[in-house]
Amino acid sequence: MTMTLPYHRVNVLTGTKAARIIEDASEYAHLVKRAQRPLLVLGSWSLTTTLGGKLLIEYGVEIAKTLDIPICATAHTKKKLLELGVEPASSYDIIEILNHLKDPAWKGVKKEGNHDLVMFLGFRTDLGEQGLSTLKHYAPHLKTMTLCKFYYPHASYSLSNFRKDEQWKEFLDNLITNLKSKEA
Amino acid sequence: MAVAAKKKNLRKDTVNEIIRAEDNWEPVGHTPMPEIPDLRNWDMRLMKTYKPFYAPMCDLCCFCTYGKCDLTGDKRGACGIDISTQQARVVLLACCMGMSAHGGHARHVLHYLIEKHGRDYKINLGDQIFVEAPHIRTVLGLKPETLGDLEKAMDYVESQLIHAISSLHTGQEGSALDYESKALHISMLDHVAMEVGDIAQIVGFGYPTSVADTPLVDMGWGSIDKTKPTILLVGHNPVTAVPIVDYINEHGLQDKVEVGGICCTALEVTRYTDRAKIVGPLSRQLYFIRTGFADVIVTDEQCIRTDIAIEAAKVGTALIATTDKACYGLEDYSKRETDEIVKDMLDGKQTLIFDPDKAAEAAVRVALELAPKRKKELVTPEQVPDLAKDHRLCNMCSQVCPNLLPVGDAIEAAKNGNLQPLTEVFNKCIGCGKCEQECPRHVPIFKMMQAVAGSETWKVRAGRGPIMDVEIRKVGAPIVLGTIPGIIAIVGCSNFPEEISEVADIAEEFAKRKYIVVLTGCSAMAAGMKKDKEGKTIYEKYPPNFDAGGVLNIGSCVANSHITGAAMKVANIFATLPLRGNYEVIADYILNRVGACGLAWGAYSQKAASIATGCNRLGIPVVLGPHSAKYRRLYMSRKEEDDWTVMDGREKKLVDTQEPSPEHLITVVESKERAMVTMAKLCIRKNDTAQGRQIKLTHYIGLHKQHLGTLPDDLHLYVRKASDIPIFFKKEVMAYLEKVGWKEKPVLTLPTLIGTYPSEVPIESVVH
Ligand code: SF4
Ligand code: SF4
């Protein structure tokens, strides 16, 4: 078996439990739809990364809107979300939301119970990978899913390293379409 | 008498003798010269609210031959250790390294100065500093009078280190919290070691002290006159740098030889002479070495590139290593005649010289001889496309960049004549050189950055050392009452996540808002690397006093002890609490009443880990940049869930304040904007008066609105009474509070944790 290396080598896994790589948007959508209480966490790179002429955060908003998924706006993403007409369910910073998520008894951003699937979009990959490490070790009660174009070994589900942004855009567009579709 | 009691008495007698307990400058508190168990209950109390948060860097333990052991999730290693305990163990190891680095530096300086001046050489920090060593006073209970007394402090620090390191051995500690307590202990001692080091340097080398407006010195490689022989100092320890300056002065070579420094030795040497130059922070080390501007490099200790001897040889720069910490496999020339050393160095030999005077003479003489024979040319913009001609956009360089920079794309643009993306990369580059090393087509990426680096120069105020007692007297009340909104300490290394100029932006934002901004180390340099429209840096625009709106360069890494020391002095000079052996009371005072917050935006080293952890034990919260998630451990609360009950020291009753202040002891944030909002919040203290709270909330709300677009969604937690509401935001805050069903919170006369956990310290001790 060849080992998949993360795009940024500083994130190389030193361990035995690595993410399942999924490249099929419908499979991702299926996992999201199956979740009882998904959460989308947005990081600062969603404000500076453009894809297909749009800011990454706009993809985040579209994904969230499909199934009314609550958003946790970390860093200073809240301001842009408000400009886009979206009120995030919470604005904990990244470490703070992780600190809550690792407690199975936490009530979640909507006070309905802790989340069972947490999606991450737009983080520095090193900070993202460290955060996912926390959840891998300390939050067996939930699954993590990354939406960026990089392989994240510490996630439960990750995309592979997309060589071209077009592939990533296509994936996100397909994910949104699949999430919108009524089929499970 | 029982054996245990006898043992305790014996230790007490020894301690009393060391600290001269009979001198009655202050009563001796409960924990003079504490050992690992002595402040454990304080640590446990802190960690009850600020629980360790772990982000493992590695899922394995590779420490012993049972392993490698996989510790993922709830697995345990062959020795029985779990993932949290292993993380805490690595954190303790890092703190021991950090403390040892400062301690090793302090020992070396002390040894050198005692040989020079003798053990009885008096400590005199000028006519404005009487509380000369708040850490040594508080932790040991000793009022140091001589260099010999500083040795006593180091003896004690070292004795604690051996116990801490021994606990790292396999089959010792089995609790993450206990490893954390040891890390807090060692890091507290780090501040003692730093204080020893800097006091020794100030008195032994005659650095400025008891003065605020130290000279403005030149910074930037453009400030080095490359037509002159140039000596580059790299590291932290001034023991050889000072004799180099002396040799130059004694031989009338001031206008003939350039002396510049990288990293903290630069800050040290510019405290000794304002003619020396600061080349730049750590992130510019490799860059400057590769320009070949330096004729001689003199290394001392810490944060030096470990391949510096190889790099120096590549560009024909001579090299002298001067400390036992970093010998690079070089031949020891310490006992050779200087003429022989100079001859061998001119023949290309790199040398190890432990004798500072000999090293100094050799460095200057070699530089004078070598300079005329060397060429010093930078890559020009015109040369760049040709240098990039073999590049094929494989992006190997981008993949290995530890700052995640799009290097390949920048080289692609540069190849086509557009240097803007490469300029942007350079501004965020932490200077590791990995991109160039990895390139399969041998594109000289790092060298090409010379074409975009520019030769701008800046002014930085020379490090000033301790805060003066008179300054503390003036600002003590406004800090504790909250009318000066806080002390912002911007410290640490240059592993910055984005542009280096972010540090200047953050510092200026708080200076404008009338916080007291203190800086050290590479951050003190970075803050000076931005000019306004009039061409002025932050050091030229803001006053150098420890007062509202002041911007102060305190000095090098070891000068961090003066920042924590200033907080201790507030407790002592303003609140008249005795320092002597009284750590819990002083830390409790700072945690509950001194609105200070650290920022280590580019922390990378183990020293930064111990400095920050030492701040935490003393009740000072610290904000870290995103790279610092790799330190593995933070201390975090959960504001809504946690219990914020404290004791009212005057009423002697428990009060549930419902107020998460300070919210965290150490946390990581992702962006500069979030950092500023978080720092403003972390300056809030339970002791703030209504007027002080209004001012602090004005800044918290203002920064939050500016960067996150709304009022803070935890604002209701920080409004105790309607009188806390800032007038400027009154209407919208009232509307918000009504919406969330806010209720007034209990009033408190004197917040303290003493009395909320098992401690020998009586509650009366906190009432001053
Ligand atoms: S590694 Fe070399 S060839 Fe590859 S993208 Fe970078 S500069 Fe170009
Ligand atoms: S030298 Fe700079 S650009 Fe190159 S890999 Fe290191 S940080 Fe990145």
Side-chain angles (χ1 to χ4, degrees), chain A residues 62-177:
Chain A
E62 280 189 56
I63 291 167
K65 279 186 177 163
T66 56
L67 298 174
D68 201 15
I69 300 167
I71 291 176
C72 175
T74 73
H76 53 295
T77 54
K78 183 175 181 182
K79 190 171 183 185
K80 185 74 200 172
L81 285 174
L82 296 171
E83 282 169 27
L84 294 169
V86 178
E87 177 83 42
S90 94
S91 69
Y92 289 119
D93 203 17
I94 175 67
I95 303 291
E96 293 171 329
I97 185 70
L98 297 169
N99 200 25
H100 285 301
L101 286 167
K102 69 190 178 65
D103 172 8
W106 182 51
K107 289 280 173 274
V109 296
K110 292 174 86 178
K111 312 274 181 244
E112 292 166 352
N114 201 343
H115 304 276
D116 53 350
L117 179 78
V118 187
M119 295 181 274
F120 293 87
L121 180 67
F123 285 89
R124 282 182 66 94
T125 63
D126 49 3
L127 180 58
E129 181 64 1
Q130 279 302 101
L132 288 162
S133 167
T134 297
L135 296 181
K136 180 173 102 173
H137 288 283
Y138 297 102
H141 47 275
L142 55 79
K143 298 280 188 216
T144 58
M145 174 183 270
T146 57
L147 300 172
C148 282
K149 62 176 175 179
F150 307 109
Y151 170 55
Y152 275 100
H154 280 318
S156 312
Y157 314 114
S158 169
L159 303 181
S160 60
N161 297 314
F162 285 145
R163 279 179 61 86
K164 291 195 173 358
D165 276 2
E166 292 75 34
Q167 290 173 288
W168 185 27
K169 179 176 161 21
E170 193 187 330
F171 179 91
L172 292 178
D173 286 339
N174 284 340
L175 176 65
I176 292 161
T177 311

Side-chain angles (χ1 to χ4, degrees), chain B residues 527-722:
Chain B
M529 291 172 74
K530 187 169 182 177
K531 289 180 188 161
D532 67 5
K533 286 194 202 89
E534 276 97 58
K536 285 189 174 159
T537 70
I538 191 170
Y539 293 107
E540 295 160 282
K541 280 165 75 177
Y542 294 88
N545 314 84
F546 191 76
D547 202 346
V551 174
L552 295 74
N553 175 10
I554 303 297
S556 67
C557 290
V558 286
N560 279 307
S561 57
H562 305 313
I563 299 178
T564 39
M568 294 165 132
K569 281 187 175 196
V570 171
N572 182 234
I573 296 173
F574 165 67
T576 65
L577 288 170
L579 295 175
R580 194 176 197 186
N582 206 19
Y583 192 88
E584 270 165 283
V585 171
I586 299 302
D588 176 74
Y589 182 91
I590 294 170
L591 176 72
N592 285 295
R593 295 190 250 181
V594 179
C597 177
L599 173 73
W601 195 230
Y604 94 105
S605 69
Q606 293 84 17
K607 293 187 296 167
S610 58
I611 293 169
T613 306
C615 288
N616 293 161
R617 196 185 220 192
L618 194 60
I620 300 175
V622 177
V623 173
L624 301 168
H627 290 296
S628 297
K630 294 183 232 172
Y631 279 122
R632 301 171 178 80
R633 185 270 286 135
L634 303 167
Y635 294 132
M636 311 270 302
S637 83
R638 287 169 59 196
K639 55 192 168 201
E640 296 96 343
E641 278 80 1
D642 283 329
D643 178 9
W644 297 97
T645 299
V646 298
M647 185 66 81
D648 186 323
R650 278 205 187 87
E651 305 291 325
K652 297 195 182 52
K653 63 170 195 217
L654 291 170
V655 179
D656 179 6
T657 65
Q658 302 153 36
E659 178 179 292
S661 62
E663 186 183 355
H664 307 299
L665 269 190
I666 184 159
T667 188
V668 159
V669 300
E670 195 183 4
S671 67
K672 164 184 95 169
E673 292 79 1
R674 190 77 185 211
M676 291 190 284
V677 173
T678 305
M679 288 155 71
K681 176 161 60 164
L682 289 180
C683 285
I684 294 175
R685 290 295 176 280
K686 293 192 176 60
N687 193 64
D688 298 337
T689 58
Q691 192 197 358
R693 182 60 60 90
Q694 276 192 33
I695 292 170
K696 290 187 183 186
L697 288 180
T698 302
H699 298 301
Y700 177 40
I701 294 169
L703 284 162
H704 199 283
K705 285 181 69 142
Q706 187 181 337
H707 298 298
L708 275 75
T710 59
L711 291 175
D713 49 16
D714 57 4
L715 180 58
H716 54 291
L717 301 175
Y718 297 101
V719 180
R720 299 161 301 183
K721 302 260 172 254

Side-chain angles (χ1 to χ4, degrees), chain B residues 390-397 408 411 439-441 443 445:
Chain B
D390 292 332
H391 148 91
R392 294 291 180 275
L393 198 54
C394 67
N395 269 323
M396 286 306 294
C397 49
I411 298 297
C439 177
R441 312 208 48 116
V443 176
I445 303 171

Side-chain angles (χ1 to χ4, degrees), chain B residues 18 123 125 148 158 167 182 194 241 269 277 303 403 415 426 445 468 493 502 556 567 572 618 644 654 678 719 744:
Chain B
I18 294 170
I123 292 171
L125 294 177
E158 287 158 3
S167 78
K182 293 176 190 44
M194 289 190 286
V269 75
K277 317 276 170 70
C303 307
N403 212 14
K415 188 179 172 180
F426 178 73
I445 303 171
M468 293 178 265
C493 341
E502 284 195 340
S556 67
N572 182 234
L618 194 60
W644 297 97
L654 291 170
T678 305
V719 180
E744 282 202 350

